[in-house]
Amino acid sequence: MLWKITTEEQLTDQASYEDVFASDEFVPRNKTPLYQWTVEEVCTWVSELGLQQYEESFRRNAIDGTELATLDQKSLLSALGIDALGHRNKILRAVNQIQSHPIIQPRDPESGVHDEYLCPVTREIMKEPVLAADGYTYERSAITAWINSGKTRSPMTNATLPNTTLTPNRSLKMLIQRHLQEN
């Protein structure tokens, strides 16, 4: 089997972030992963959806990115007071669309560190990269802490992790070590 390694630049040259989404209606301006969004970033996103009348409700209930990812019809109706079924559906569709297309983190071109060498949870260079069941590589201590805190969903996609098996990513570890030796 032959794998072609694609850099972030090659990937983003082929399709813009907006091209990944089927509808411009749900494209957030915020390009950070959903689980890192603050309450204010969620409120801005709600406004971008054209539902600014609910901003204060999201703010009052401290809905950040992690909480946004767990919302369902019932919580939107009862806890947040969103009576209109169409508005609840629009929010849930938009959240689902964001979750189904993990966001490429922008990296600082001045740092000289490839984004692929950074843990998506800590955003630090990985020392012990491991592959999780969601197909993403994380720093072992970060994903272990994530799982041990009782979280059963992927930090990148918010999909349920089918298992908690962590496989060492030796190839990536060697690439990171080589990069660190050369720089």
Side-chain angles (χ1 to χ4, degrees):
M1 182 181 297
L2 181 65
W3 290 82
K4 179 182 178 197
I5 298 176
T6 305
T7 65
E8 182 179 342
E9 289 82 11
Q10 290 170 325
L11 182 62
T12 55
D13 283 348
Q14 292 173 0
S16 72
Y17 175 82
E18 287 78 8
D19 291 339
V20 173
F21 289 91
S23 166
D24 287 340
E25 178 180 21
F26 301 132
V27 177
R29 288 189 173 89
N30 187 344
K31 306 298 191 237
T32 57
L34 183 62
Y35 71 91
Q36 292 180 349
W37 288 12
T38 65
V39 172
E40 285 308 311
E41 289 170 326
V42 169
C43 291
T44 299
W45 173 79
V46 168
S47 180
E48 289 173 1
L49 286 176
L51 301 172
Q52 55 274 11
Q53 66 268 35
Y54 303 117
E55 276 186 69
E56 190 52 40
S57 181
F58 277 76
R59 192 175 287 111
R60 189 174 50 254
N61 286 282
I63 304 297
D64 61 10
T66 301
E67 296 306 318
L68 180 64
T70 64
L71 292 178
D72 58 15
Q73 286 280 352
K74 184 179 177 183
S75 58
L76 286 170
L77 177 62
S78 59
L80 296 174
I82 301 174
D83 294 325
L85 175 62
H87 291 173
R88 293 193 309 265
N89 286 341
K90 184 175 187 176
I91 291 167
L92 293 175
R93 277 194 319 271
V95 169
N96 185 46
Q97 194 165 18
I98 291 169
Q99 290 174 331
S100 65
H101 298 285
I103 300 168
I104 297 171
Q105 280 282 341
R107 67 177 170 90
D108 180 4
E110 303 296 317
S111 71
V113 176
H114 296 285
D115 192 62
E116 294 82 3
Y117 299 167
L118 303 178
C119 172
V121 174
T122 65
R123 302 301 298 154
E124 295 176 1
I125 296 177
M126 292 182 276
K127 294 175 182 66
E128 195 175 350
V130 292
L131 186 65
D134 63 358
Y136 287 90
T137 298
Y138 304 92
E139 173 61 37
R140 180 181 293 278
S141 61
I143 192 67
T144 300
W146 179 272
I147 293 167
N148 289 343
S149 71
K151 295 177 180 164
T152 59
R153 297 186 170 273
S154 161
M156 289 298 289
T157 66
N158 200 41
T160 302
L161 291 168
N163 61 62
T164 57
T165 303
L166 301 175
T167 306
N169 191 334
R170 291 182 180 94
S171 297
L172 182 57
K173 185 174 183 174
M174 287 187 301
L175 287 170
I176 293 169
Q177 288 172 340
R178 185 177 306 141
H179 171 79
L180 293 174
Q181 288 171 354
E182 292 173 356
N183 293 309

